[in-house]
Amino acid sequence: MKIYNSYTNQLEEFQPINKGVVNMYICGPTVYNYIHIGNARPVIFFDTVRRYFEHLDYKVNFVSNFTDVDDKIITKAIQDEVDEQEISEKFIAAFLADVERVNSKTDYNKPKVTNYMSNIINYIEKLVEKEFAYVVNGDVYFRVQNVKDYGKLSNRNIDDLISGSRIEINEKKENPLDFTLWKKTDVGIKFDSPWGEGRPGWHTECVAMIDDIFGGQVDIHGGGSGLKFPHHENEIAQSLVLNNHTIAKYWMHNGLLNIDNKKMSKSEGAVILVKDLDVDYNGFRLFMLSAQYRSPINFNDEALKSYVSEWEKISRIYASIHLKLDLENKLDDAKTVHPVLLEIYKEFLEAMNNDFNTANAVTALQKLLKLSNQLLRGNSDSGILLSALKLFDVFFDVLGLKIETKRLDSEEKEIYSSWVQARKNKDFDKADELRKTLSEKGII
RNA sequence: GGUCCCGUAGCCAAGUGGCUAAGGCAAUGGACUGCAACUCCGUGAUCGCCGGUUCGAAUCCGGCCGGGACCUCCA
């Protein structure tokens, strides 16, 4: 399997650190608001990565944090006249509800900053000891200057960054590029530290958590490409100094989502929240997986709708085959190997093995859709249809699509065969009535 | 000001040097059908423009036009 490593900017053969195990860490949300559909992209994509590894029988340890200490949370808490925890707990719950909405798995390890305060402080202390961090009046800053390769991930050099006119001048810093590890504060929630009361900067939590949970290095560290600089660059800098490695063997970054070719951003309006999306989330998920994850994806109503209707077609054929096999009591039979189905499965694997090319994986699903329709209309034998159904199950499982089917009870089967019989007898009044009943029961 | 990325049919999108440029949505013609729905078959591209490299380019190089991102919190 090949993965595009954004640290080295090339496709690399995936070799896990420990055989059969994939440790992955994805930067999670700062919980001060509902997430928008752009935020959903890493949630959906990295969940798909996880699912695919699991399909290949890897044991996946999936970790994604909650940043529950942050200026934005404090601001909101003051605004709403509640304490920070109330805000963060509310939006953690909201986040998980959205994760579930888009059919991403919620059973993963979710460390919170508030539970990691001593690890974070400890991590910063070590940086201070190594003299890669310095204390000024209760603030602690990371000294970027001496870190070799600073800027490699985001492909920029220190001189360019310094000459950039937009870097804020902070007189306490030795160098404008130095970033905050610990911030002395008067407002909002405060924690004790060797440097006085304050709160941690944003960039240490992930490395401290990875250090604690995985003992230093993960196989995959992922997040949106917006995090490359400065966040991930700074994570790497800290880890290089302390552990002499870049925390992750493979760095993966998803492209951003635009609306009408403009970046969707909490700070610039034009935001669609996940919870407010008024469409089938399977269709939404297909849409999100229809482009290669590193490319930007442009949100557009027409495109979204086309994937929603694609999903309707897929669920229709799935249900039809399921129903047919159910009526014939063949659902538990042995499936028959069918060469074309095997070919489609291979295409699917090939696509996913090629840096998780979900766009081509979706194409394989569409091929299965068309073939299934042909098989069903062509009165193929039940073994082949069952095998098609099982292949759908595999694709649904990996891509995170959810379909609900049920088996009919004997009474329902009775109604169904009466319907077929009525049509045969050209008793269309009765047939229509039975069809209505079946339709109301959600059977057809 | 600095650093990058992208431009494939109305829409989404694969393809990154080599057979007639995948696939889907929409549109349209046909088939199937008691009706309806579904479904199947068919129909569409001088790959933003200009030039170069090459036996050969959507794919590599240069210029231009258009769009976007990052350098500040951001998935």
Side-chain angles (χ1 to χ4, degrees), chain A residues 160-400:
Chain A
D160 285 344
L161 286 169
I162 292 172
S163 67
S165 58
R166 296 167 72 188
I167 288 181
E168 180 192 338
I169 304 296
N170 178 339
E171 270 154 25
K172 294 181 186 171
K173 291 184 188 176
E174 291 177 4
N175 182 310
L177 287 184
D178 291 349
F179 56 89
T180 306
L181 297 170
W182 189 266
K183 190 178 192 172
K184 179 182 170 184
T185 52
D186 321 307
V187 189
I189 191 166
K190 291 189 270 283
F191 303 85
D192 282 326
S193 84
W195 317 284
E197 286 194 319
R199 58 179 184 268
W202 178 37
H203 307 302
T204 311
E205 58 189 72
C206 298
V207 278
M209 286 166 178
I210 290 171
D211 210 44
D212 176 61
I213 297 168
F214 295 114
Q217 197 172 25
V218 285
D219 291 291
I220 293 171
H221 190 137
S225 61
L227 293 179
K228 271 188 181 178
F229 189 90
H231 185 53
H232 289 160
E233 202 68 74
N234 292 348
E235 286 186 32
I236 289 171
Q238 294 171 85
S239 175
L240 278 176
V241 164
L242 234 51
N243 297 326
N244 207 31
H245 60 61
T246 55
I247 331 169
K249 202 168 170 196
Y250 306 92
W251 283 86
M252 293 178 76
H253 290 95
N254 63 273
L256 301 183
L257 180 142
N258 301 321
I259 286 193
D260 295 327
N261 288 314
K262 286 258 188 274
K263 176 184 171 183
M264 168 154 2
S265 154
K266 285 175 193 163
S267 44
E268 284 169 43
V271 165
I272 300 174
L273 300 180
V274 169
K275 72 182 177 70
D276 295 338
L277 243 200
D278 191 23
V279 297
D280 185 304
Y281 285 91
N282 285 297
F284 173 62
R285 185 147 174 142
L286 267 184
F287 166 75
M288 295 293 268
L289 294 174
S290 69
Q292 218 282 341
Y293 73 92
R294 284 184 276 125
S295 314
I297 195 169
N298 189 32
F299 185 86
N300 151 314
D301 219 42
E302 194 181 345
L304 175 64
K305 279 199 179 120
S306 82
Y307 287 99
V308 170
S309 70
E310 197 62 16
W311 173 250
E312 283 166 3
K313 288 171 78 167
I314 292 166
S315 45
R316 216 177 277 135
I317 184 66
Y318 185 92
S320 303
I321 295 177
H322 193 275
L323 176 64
K324 180 178 161 69
L325 295 175
D326 192 12
L327 288 165
E328 296 170 1
N329 296 314
K330 298 266 174 65
L331 273 173
D332 301 309
D333 284 8
K335 60 181 178 181
T336 307
V337 177
H338 184 282
V340 182
L341 289 171
L342 213 58
E343 196 53 44
I344 291 174
Y345 178 55
K346 267 192 205 154
E347 277 178 39
F348 181 84
L349 293 178
E350 214 170 282
M352 293 302 283
N353 283 339
N354 181 23
D355 193 29
F356 306 98
N357 192 329
T358 55
N360 285 340
V362 169
T363 300
L365 173 61
Q366 289 170 323
K367 278 192 184 173
L368 176 59
L369 162 66
K370 182 172 272 191
L371 178 66
S372 299
N373 273 314
Q374 291 165 336
L375 290 173
L376 187 65
R377 298 299 150 129
N379 281 317
S380 288
D381 79 68
S382 58
I384 293 173
L385 288 175
L386 185 62
S387 152
L389 204 64
K390 300 281 185 197
L391 191 54
F392 272 119
D393 286 337
V394 169
F395 289 0
F396 292 170
D397 181 50
V398 173
L399 299 176

Side-chain angles (χ1 to χ4, degrees), chain A residues 25-276:
Chain A
Y25 182 97
I26 311 303
C27 287
T30 301
V31 279
Y32 70 103
N33 208 336
Y34 296 101
I35 61 165
H36 58 62
I37 56 177
N39 301 121
R41 195 170 187 196
V43 168
I44 290 171
F45 173 68
F46 288 108
D47 174 67
T48 305
V49 170
R50 166 190 175 168
R51 287 165 175 275
Y52 187 58
F53 277 123
E54 285 173 345
H55 177 66
L56 298 181
D57 282 331
Y58 282 94
K59 162 101 176 83
V60 180
N61 297 311
F62 191 100
V63 180
S64 186
N65 67 311
F66 284 120
T67 301
D68 63 346
V69 176
D70 181 271
D71 287 2
K72 279 171 289 202
I73 297 172
I74 292 165
T75 307
K76 185 145 178 83
I78 292 169
Q79 219 173 48
D80 295 2
E81 296 178 345
V82 295
D83 62 29
E84 286 88 347
Q85 198 186 340
E86 203 166 311
I87 300 292
S88 61
E89 288 305 321
K90 174 181 172 184
F91 289 108
I92 283 172
F95 175 80
L96 291 173
D98 283 339
V99 170
E100 203 162 333
R101 245 184 213 109
V102 300
N103 301 334
S104 287
K105 296 188 176 186
T106 52
D107 60 328
Y108 63 88
N109 188 354
K110 318 168 187 71
K112 291 188 263 187
V113 172
T114 45
N115 295 336
Y116 261 82
M117 206 48 71
S118 62
N119 297 66
I120 292 170
I121 289 169
N122 204 279
Y123 201 98
I124 297 172
E125 278 187 300
K126 285 195 254 176
L127 290 171
V128 174
E129 276 167 33
K130 286 218 164 194
E131 298 187 352
F132 275 90
Y134 55 95
V135 183
V136 184
N137 267 336
D139 288 347
V140 185
Y141 296 100
F142 184 90
R143 190 176 278 132
V144 164
Q145 234 165 0
N146 300 330
V147 178
K148 218 179 75 180
D149 286 342
Y150 187 80
K152 181 170 157 56
L153 175 74
S154 52
N155 191 30
R156 55 195 79 202
N157 66 59
I158 293 184
D159 294 339
D160 285 344
L161 286 169
I162 292 172
S163 67
S165 58
R166 296 167 72 188
I167 288 181
E168 180 192 338
I169 304 296
N170 178 339
E171 270 154 25
K172 294 181 186 171
K173 291 184 188 176
E174 291 177 4
N175 182 310
L177 287 184
D178 291 349
F179 56 89
T180 306
L181 297 170
W182 189 266
K183 190 178 192 172
K184 179 182 170 184
T185 52
D186 321 307
V187 189
I189 191 166
K190 291 189 270 283
F191 303 85
D192 282 326
S193 84
W195 317 284
E197 286 194 319
R199 58 179 184 268
W202 178 37
H203 307 302
T204 311
E205 58 189 72
C206 298
V207 278
M209 286 166 178
I210 290 171
D211 210 44
D212 176 61
I213 297 168
F214 295 114
Q217 197 172 25
V218 285
D219 291 291
I220 293 171
H221 190 137
S225 61
L227 293 179
K228 271 188 181 178
F229 189 90
H231 185 53
H232 289 160
E233 202 68 74
N234 292 348
E235 286 186 32
I236 289 171
Q238 294 171 85
S239 175
L240 278 176
V241 164
L242 234 51
N243 297 326
N244 207 31
H245 60 61
T246 55
I247 331 169
K249 202 168 170 196
Y250 306 92
W251 283 86
M252 293 178 76
H253 290 95
N254 63 273
L256 301 183
L257 180 142
N258 301 321
I259 286 193
D260 295 327
N261 288 314
K262 286 258 188 274
K263 176 184 171 183
M264 168 154 2
S265 154
K266 285 175 193 163
S267 44
E268 284 169 43
V271 165
I272 300 174
L273 300 180
V274 169
K275 72 182 177 70
D276 295 338

